[in-house]
Amino acid sequence: MQQFQEFALHEFQSIEDAPFRPEQYSRLKFGCDEAAREMGYQIADAFFQKYAPALLDSRCVMISSPYNFVPNAATIMTVHLLNRLNTHIVDAKGNHVEYATVPRKISYVNDYGLLSGEHRKSLIAGDRFYLNSQHLEGRCLLFVDDVKITGTHENRLVELMHEQQLKNKTFFLYFARYTGDRPNIESEINLAAVKSIKDLNRIVAEPNHHMTARQIKYILSVDPRELYSDFLRFRSARYIKNLYFNCLHEGYYKIEEYENNISIIRDAIEHQESAKKRVV
């Protein structure tokens, strides 16, 4: 029996022929819960329809795309996928899918969506991943990511399983799989709905919005002259503090290109706190 299998809900060669809405995918990447739920449910419905017998006959563990501290968009989508898939499985009298994470220490801060396949491979080689082989023993593994562009992450997880001599039946689940030869298309679909910091305002103001690593990197990369006037002044104190602390937790304060915007974020916190004291 084949150990590794892939399941992709969609395939595409360009943004023009994508059988999904690039704007909705982009909204997912910037923390839109509605987009995460829609996409997660779609994967769950199609995957269960195709593999119901195998799922009902196995004990499964779902594992989201590895991250450091701030969840990535794929992780948010995975939670919705798990909710929907477990509904199908339990209704069919099967055993619910459990959830696990793969701790990951990221060694780079580059915008992954802009990189070539070889550059991605060289960067991810410096990352540290860990799989709890005892917890996973005897389980069917369901690794989830939002889109497969070059397969670098999948290849690294396969290598890790070989290193730890894990023989588990494994599925790699994706919302979409890119079949072209231009890896930087990932950046184009990531930004399909966010052309400026003003566009991000609408997404973060939505109910149940999630802060993602991509969102933070985008904020730290915008023109400092626009950061406060076009974005931060509309945000709550809670959001700005969360943004600042996540910059620290991810180590972004060490990146020279991000220093100015991190200072602006901290100044915004101090400005809000000073204004609150004046009111009191």
Side-chain angles (χ1 to χ4, degrees), residues 209-260:
H209 168 265
H210 304 270
M211 188 172 290
T212 64
R214 175 160 302 283
Q215 177 188 148
I216 297 171
K217 287 183 179 182
Y218 185 85
I219 291 168
L220 295 180
S221 300
V222 301
D223 189 328
R225 295 169 296 182
E226 300 174 355
L227 178 56
Y228 183 80
S229 61
D230 291 346
F231 186 72
L232 291 179
R233 70 187 182 98
F234 302 113
R235 307 276 72 80
S236 67
R238 181 178 180 180
Y239 177 92
I240 297 176
K241 286 182 179 179
N242 192 28
L243 174 62
Y244 177 70
F245 292 140
N246 283 334
C247 289
L248 304 186
H249 302 331
E250 289 286 351
Y252 295 151
Y253 66 93
K254 300 177 181 179
I255 310 306
E256 184 177 354
E257 293 85 346
Y258 293 163
E259 287 179 355
N260 283 345

Side-chain angles (χ1 to χ4, degrees), residues 64-77:
S64 64
S65 177
Y67 62 93
N68 181 30
F69 183 85
V70 180
N72 51 41
T75 300
I76 301 166
M77 184 189 75

Side-chain angles (χ1 to χ4, degrees), residues 120-138:
R120 293 171 188 231
K121 184 176 180 179
S122 64
L123 282 179
I124 204 171
D127 289 1
R128 296 197 299 273
F129 297 82
Y130 174 74
L131 286 171
N132 187 336
S133 55
Q134 289 184 327
H135 177 66
L136 302 179
E137 186 176 357

Side-chain angles (χ1 to χ4, degrees), residues 75-92:
T75 300
I76 301 166
M77 184 189 75
T78 298
V79 172
H80 289 294
L81 193 165
L82 183 65
N83 291 343
R84 183 74 160 190
L85 188 60
N86 271 338
T87 299
H88 291 317
I89 290 174
V90 173
D91 284 349

